[in-house]
Amino acid sequence: MSLANKSALFHLSDVGKEALHGLVPEGDPFEAFVMRQDEVGAWIMAGAGSPPRGVPSVPVTLIKWQYVKSVKYDHLISGAGSEADESLLV
Amino acid sequence: MKVGYPDQMGTPQFKVEVTDYSISVDEWRRAHSAPKGELPELNELQRDVAGRFGISEEKYARSVLAIQYAVRRLRTRAKKLGEEVGKILLETCAECRVTRVVADLARERWIIVLQSPNRRVGITLSQETGDDFLDFATREATEELRTKVRSGLGAGEQGVSPQ
């Protein structure tokens, strides 16, 4: 399972909240777009909202797994509705 | 039966499936700037989760919209891949057809299911090779796809169409 290129809700531990205060979007949990993930943590697009059109780069922040209590994302159920969905027939 | 048969306009028809999604930064941006009227309605489970996590339904709906954008793009790419394989079949095995294309991102691969007059076979293509083929039509990716289609149908080294 990969969170890369997905929107996710991060719930930080108390230590994580203190360590990352001001560095991640406000809220508990907070929503972020995950650019990459590796064994160290999740690399999220920093800042609130989304980047304006045409910007050549976006700032990315590492959220170390050690600071994360839980993560929520929406998983695509393979084939869900596909049999009944005529739009899947191309 | 609709799946897998050309329609009257000669357009190939096959089933497209997507097993996972990958949102682009642009799709994320579009979803977060979309008018409220374009946001999808959350289902009961999603509303429940939004409430439990303390996030607004609008924010959740924007992430769902981003997923919808991503899945739509992947379906379009899967359709394009199936159509391109269909063109290869015209040269290789005219009586064969594509019946199903799966964007199996969960396993970082594409699956193309082919139907010949006497057998059904699925060929796999790495996500990287499929993307190279779709985005750049690289010689290597094109050749790999052609080889897999031919060998998958048993026409590889013998150079014959399956009976």
Side-chain angles (χ1 to χ4, degrees), chain A residues 31 33 45-53 55 58-59, chain B residues 24-34 62:
Chain A
E31 183 191 29
F33 182 71
M45 195 156 63
S50 60
R53 179 185 289 274
V55 297
V58 292
Chain B
S24 70
V25 172
D26 184 59
E27 288 161 345
W28 170 260
R29 184 192 55 72
R30 281 169 46 212
H32 279 72
S33 59
R62 290 191 184 280

Side-chain angles (χ1 to χ4, degrees), chain A residues 5-7 9 29 31 33 35 45 49-53 72-74 76 78 82-83 86 88-90, chain B residues 2-3 12-16 18-23 25 28-29 32 46 53 55 59-60 63 67 75:
Chain A
N5 300 310
K6 288 182 171 63
S7 173
L9 281 178
E31 183 191 29
F33 182 71
M35 308 290 288
M45 195 156 63
S50 60
R53 179 185 289 274
K72 171 263 168 195
Y73 81 104
D74 277 26
L76 199 65
S78 179
S82 62
E83 295 300 320
E86 287 294 301
L88 293 181
L89 304 178
V90 295
Chain B
K2 188 176 181 182
V3 179
Q13 294 189 320
F14 44 84
K15 188 173 179 180
V16 167
V18 175
T19 66
D20 198 4
Y21 61 91
S22 174
I23 301 169
V25 172
W28 170 260
R29 184 192 55 72
H32 279 72
Q46 291 167 329
F53 278 84
I55 60 168
K59 183 173 276 190
Y60 198 147
S63 70
I67 294 171
R75 283 181 181 163

